[in-house]
Amino acid sequence: MLIIQVLPTFTMFDIDQSVEATNVIEKMTHAVANKYGITAGLTGSIALARDEMAAMANDSMVVTLIAVVGILLLFIFTFRMITSPILAIITLIIGIGWAMGVTWLMVGELNLMTSMSAVILAGLGIDFSIHIIAAFSEKRAKNIALGEAMNFALTRSGTGIITGGLTTAVAFLTMLLSESDGMREFGLVLGVGIIMTMVAALLILPVLLISVARLKDRYGRQSIKPVRDVRYKRLGRLTAWMGKHYGYTLSGFLIVVVFLAYRGAHITRDFNYLNMEPVGLETVKLQNKMIDEFDMSPDVILFTAENLTEADSLTRIAKEMKTAGMVESISDYLPDHTEQVKRQQLIKRIQAQLAGAKVKSGLSLEERHSVRDQIERLKFNIMELQDLAFSGGQDKIFLKSAFLVGVAEVPDSLMSPEERKLTSRLRQSMGPDIYSGSLNKLLEAFDNGKVDPGRLSAFQTAFGRKFKTAAYKLANPQRLTLADMPNQIKTQFVSDSGKRYLITVFPRSNVWDFKFLDRLTAEAGAVSPRATGLPIVFNALMDIIGKDGRRATIAALVVIFLLLLLDFRKFKFALMGMVPLVTGVAVMFGIMQISGLQITLLNIIAIPLIIDRKSTRLNSSHI
């Protein structure tokens, strides 16, 4: 497994750039991989951001459609009617359309959190229509006139619908107190969206119901009326029996709630973000494989230094981090002044030894065998260079390498046009030696004992002098400066101004595992207060979301209770309205724990939504 690192000029939070760049690089990568019959792909935070965005765009639309269709089918099955549910869905779609339009005016665009708002509004917004249709259909089943039936529906359900809608909207709007922009926009979009779906239900649905009923009356059809009585008489009889035997009922409920609350208190958490990605993502598979093969993650930690001495110090400390897999910095190529002084003394001693060294004349039998082994080693290195030259389109290097090691014998029918072209040029210049090369001939001469020892000794002497001269020049004690560094190195580790130096730390494990992320962030913060990078940003963001979630939940409970108190005018009714809300959440966690479900980063955000949804149910059905 080989790694090619691409350093972007943007972050994963620039979604448009991430999507465009990843698509272009992925297309090139797959084209080359298919050409040479290898497996290649992209991973890292930017490629993952692209996959997330694509999955979110597809899933949000698909899930919203499934939700709408599911609501329609459930509506038809429950009420045993077709026309009214369809009108309710039309009203819901109009309300969601209004909500998306207002969202565009307020925030401009959807983010990863607010893109889920449509399906949430579908589930919450249909409640308003249900209450209007239930009350309207109840009167129409008794042949009450259209105007009187609608007046009854709005009189009976209107206040509850408005109270429930405003309660839910205000509960969502409490998220405006959040520190993160994503949570604030999430609360704003859903709060305003609930109001839009409520207004649509109150203004549009009554008009549609009466218009369709009049059309049916005009053409001699039966007006809107359910096939059966929409009242749930069996449920009424059950609740009446439970009310009569309230002692047994409360005891049974208390036992069940306490048991499930106890189980819910032991629910486990899975905050590994990659476990919540769509199944089968190539980016996730390759990232896990990269961590397994190289003990390092592509999601890096970054430090900055103001001089070479500080860069060298931070690099040495970072390499001691238990969570670090690999550390890169300019000090790998350009040591600081103190380290260079130490190395200068060593290099001067090496240079002095080279100056006094004598080139040996003549070779023993054992040394001749060693020369033969080194020539074979050279041959294999040149063969590898030849492959790289062909892959990179370096024809001159490929041809020069072929004179030394030849080329593989492949039928013309299996060659690409480029390979046939190069092979033809080699046949013209090398003739039958095209498949051998001069180094292979030399090795055969060694193996057959045809190498002249005198000529080999003369070669050894001539080569030894040249090697000594080259080695003496390499042992240069002159101090290195930044100006001596190639631009490829400087652009990676040194700022354009030359006043900042970058140290890159590749974590040794998966940074999306929160336990490891906490250790990594703590170690990085201990190395330097200027530590940054996606893992640190993400860890801070999760802390903010966790605090915001708790704050939003508490605020929602308080606001819901106050609105209940304001609406019902009695403390006991408001308290009674809160009991199903609190016990329902406790029971939910218990059932999750028994079912093997865990708390994740996504479903923990749903807790305020569940509270808000229950508040809609409570307020839209007055006691």
Side-chain angles (χ1 to χ4, degrees), residues 37-181:
I38 61 174
T39 300
L42 305 183
T43 189
S45 59
I46 290 178
L48 185 61
R50 188 282 309 267
D51 286 349
E52 277 185 344
M53 199 63 192
M56 188 68 70
N58 294 330
D59 291 350
S60 59
M61 179 61 69
V62 172
V63 171
T64 301
L65 291 175
I66 292 174
V68 171
V69 172
I71 290 169
L72 175 62
L73 294 177
L74 184 60
F75 210 150
I76 292 173
F77 174 78
T78 304
F79 282 82
R80 297 293 193 273
M81 59 178 68
I82 296 177
T83 306
S84 293
I86 292 175
L87 298 179
I89 294 298
I90 293 173
T91 302
L92 177 64
I93 293 173
I94 292 173
I96 293 176
W98 288 355
M100 294 300 101
V102 175
T103 296
W104 178 78
L105 293 174
M106 292 187 302
V107 300
E109 60 185 4
L110 298 177
N111 57 39
L112 290 177
M113 295 182 67
T114 54
S115 60
M116 300 183 292
S117 58
V119 68
I120 296 172
L121 290 176
L124 295 177
I126 194 64
D127 291 351
F128 307 123
S129 297
I130 289 175
H131 291 291
I132 294 175
I133 292 176
F136 179 72
S137 299
E138 180 182 343
K139 290 299 179 182
R140 289 295 290 160
K142 298 177 181 179
N143 292 320
I144 304 296
L146 286 175
E148 185 179 348
M150 184 56 66
N151 182 65
F152 170 81
L154 295 179
T155 302
R156 177 179 174 180
S157 303
T159 303
I161 288 173
I162 293 173
T163 303
L166 293 179
T167 302
T168 306
V170 171
F172 279 128
L173 292 174
T174 57
M175 293 185 185
L176 292 174
L177 301 175
S178 301
E179 297 180 35
S180 67
D181 290 340

Side-chain angles (χ1 to χ4, degrees), residues 87 146 205-217 224:
L87 298 179
L146 286 175
L205 182 60
V207 176
L208 292 178
L209 288 172
I210 291 178
S211 299
V212 172
R214 285 177 175 172
L215 285 174
K216 288 188 175 183
D217 289 341
I224 297 176

Side-chain angles (χ1 to χ4, degrees), residues 362-590:
L363 293 171
S364 65
L365 179 61
E366 183 178 353
E367 289 170 337
R368 289 201 296 271
H369 286 311
S370 178
V371 170
R372 187 262 176 214
D373 293 340
Q374 292 303 318
I375 291 174
E376 185 174 45
R377 179 184 173 192
L378 175 64
K379 182 190 80 169
F380 290 132
N381 286 336
I382 293 176
M383 288 173 66
E384 183 175 356
L385 176 65
Q386 185 184 44
D387 291 338
L388 293 173
F390 179 78
S391 301
Q394 302 291 329
D395 293 352
K396 290 185 178 180
I397 297 177
F398 177 83
L399 293 170
K400 287 178 180 284
S401 301
F403 281 104
L404 294 172
V405 299
V407 295
E409 189 170 357
V410 179
D412 288 352
S413 59
L414 298 180
M415 293 184 186
S416 66
E418 294 84 359
E419 290 173 319
R420 283 196 293 270
K421 180 180 178 181
L422 289 174
T423 303
S424 176
R425 291 176 61 183
L426 287 172
R427 285 198 181 102
Q428 293 176 3
S429 56
M430 297 179 62
D433 295 335
I434 183 175
Y435 300 116
S436 57
S438 56
L439 287 184
N440 284 317
K441 289 184 177 180
L442 184 57
L443 289 172
E444 289 179 6
F446 268 103
D447 295 337
N448 296 329
K450 295 181 179 180
V451 174
D452 184 351
R455 294 183 64 186
L456 187 60
S457 295
F459 169 79
Q460 158 67 19
T461 301
F463 177 80
R465 292 195 188 101
K466 291 182 177 292
F467 181 81
K468 177 182 176 180
T469 301
Y472 185 84
K473 290 181 178 179
L474 284 174
N476 182 3
Q478 184 177 354
R479 183 187 172 193
L480 290 172
T481 65
L482 195 59
D484 297 319
M485 295 293 104
N487 285 332
Q488 292 172 321
I489 294 176
K490 285 194 289 187
T491 55
Q492 186 172 350
F493 298 112
V494 184
S495 67
D496 293 340
S497 65
K499 297 179 180 180
R500 291 288 185 274
Y501 300 86
L502 188 67
I503 299 95
T504 305
V505 178
F506 291 83
R508 68 167 53 253
S509 188
N510 184 3
V511 300
W512 304 105
D513 181 346
F514 269 30
K515 292 181 179 179
F516 176 79
L517 181 60
D518 286 339
R519 297 200 307 271
L520 174 66
T521 303
E523 278 197 290
V527 173
S528 171
R530 293 197 298 269
T532 186
L534 177 63
I536 292 179
V537 172
F538 187 74
N539 194 48
L541 182 61
M542 290 303 100
D543 286 341
I544 292 173
I545 290 178
K547 294 176 183 177
D548 288 346
R550 290 190 292 271
R551 188 184 297 119
T553 300
I554 295 172
L557 289 172
V558 171
V559 169
I560 290 169
F561 179 77
L562 292 177
L563 289 174
L564 283 174
L565 187 60
L566 180 65
D567 185 30
F568 294 147
R569 311 271 183 192
K570 288 189 178 182
F571 183 84
K572 67 175 184 179
F573 284 163
L575 191 61
M576 288 172 61
M578 295 296 293
V579 170
L581 176 61
V582 175
T583 56
V585 172
V587 168
M588 177 193 69
F589 281 123

Side-chain angles (χ1 to χ4, degrees), residues 176-197:
L176 292 174
L177 301 175
S178 301
E179 297 180 35
S180 67
D181 290 340
M183 289 286 282
R184 285 197 295 270
E185 290 183 7
F186 189 58
L188 181 63
V189 169
L190 288 178
V192 174
I194 286 294
I195 294 175
M196 292 295 102
T197 54

